[in-house]
Amino acid sequence: MSGNFNITRAARAIVRVTDLNAARDFYVNGLGFIETESDDTFIYLRGLEERGHHSYVLKKADQPGVEVISYKVTTEEDLDNLADKLMEKGMQPKWFEKGSQRALDRSFRVQDVSGIPVEFFCTMDTVERMLQRYDQYKGSKMQRIDHFNCMVPDVEKAYDFYIKELGYACSEYTATKDEDIWAAWLHRKPTVHDVAFMNGKGPRLHHVGFWLNDPMSIIDTCDVLASLGYGDNIERGPGRHGLSNAFFLYLRDPDGNRVELYTGDYFTGDSDFEPIRWDLDDPQRATFWGHKAPDSWFNEAMEFVDSNTGERITVEDAKLDQRKPNFIV
Ligand code: DHY
């Protein structure tokens, strides 16, 4: 509980794609998402473990971009209390009534301190949990949504807001020699993160992270993607992060939207947990084995779109030095 509301976890993202069938082939045949439902504009996807109607929405559009990232709160009352709190802070939550979005009860959206369009809801329709439908396992054997990673120009501003106002806790962070926070991993559920903020041009969504059962599922994904002709969509990894300890793989979908396949982080729920500090220049921070990430991983990210106006949300340059961490002079 944080004040009089409780945010449970990262819950869904709405991502724009230019070709629904191309996106479906990548996400359903390649990654093994379950397609709960679709129409001419939307494909609603979920992992095998998820009983919510969807955790990832593909929306047909002329250009790629991200409409919103969403968090689930614990009770309907939490939703009202959180909206009140954000209004006290001078923000303007915009409510969406039950039925106005597929499978969602009421929700609200607001731009956070970094300008990121975030949404909060409590109730989503439930569907069959496919965890033990092993006959349906294919591709990555996709299990569930895990986190968002956002690039923002001012990480400390985002950090302060999520920790002090929204009740998130920090599991790990990267600091410069001057103790400026370069990146921070923040959670509500007791894992390494529900959201990470990295220093960079923003706000932009760097990736949505999805949980798989084990490293072998990640290696199988590479084989399956290569067999389907998606070898070039593998951007970084497989590897082991130093920060978070997770085994990872970064992929770009046919529109360039980035997802991380992620497994093997750890429990962070003790009240005396102490955040782990990494030096920006530590070569094992990003990849424990010391491998370098490609330039595209640092430079490219998804822009947010204002769903009211259809305009792209203005992006600002990073406040801190934009040099690449971990393989600097
Ligand atoms: C890192 C990035 C992530 C993550 C954990 C750790 C660090 C890095 O690669 O720079 O996306 O989930």
Side-chain angles (χ1 to χ4, degrees), residues 74-90:
T74 309
T75 67
E76 290 291 337
E77 202 186 350
D78 290 333
L79 208 52
D80 294 310
N81 292 340
L82 175 56
D84 288 347
K85 162 96 181 201
L86 295 173
M87 281 195 298
E88 275 166 31
K89 294 277 148 198

Side-chain angles (χ1 to χ4, degrees), residues 67-71 86 94 108-113 115-120 148 150 161-162 166 197 304:
E67 290 201 0
V68 78
I69 57 176
S70 315
Y71 298 91
L86 295 173
K94 179 172 183 281
F108 70 81
R109 294 186 188 183
V110 74
Q111 272 184 264
D112 77 0
V113 282
I116 299 170
V118 290
E119 177 180 63
F120 296 92
F148 310 116
C150 302
F161 183 75
Y162 278 74
L166 299 183
F197 295 108
F304 288 104

Side-chain angles (χ1 to χ4, degrees), residues 172-174 185 192 236 239-248 250 260 262 264-266 276-278 282-291 326:
E172 307 204 22
Y173 65 102
T174 302
W185 277 253
V192 167
R236 176 180 170 198
R240 169 87 60 193
H241 284 306
L243 193 154
S244 82
N245 190 53
F247 201 84
F248 69 85
Y250 292 92
E260 180 184 22
Y262 180 95
D265 64 350
Y266 58 89
I276 297 165
R277 180 191 183 282
W278 290 82
D282 184 339
Q284 288 194 302
R285 180 195 59 80
T287 309
F288 191 55
W289 307 330
H291 293 62
N326 90 44

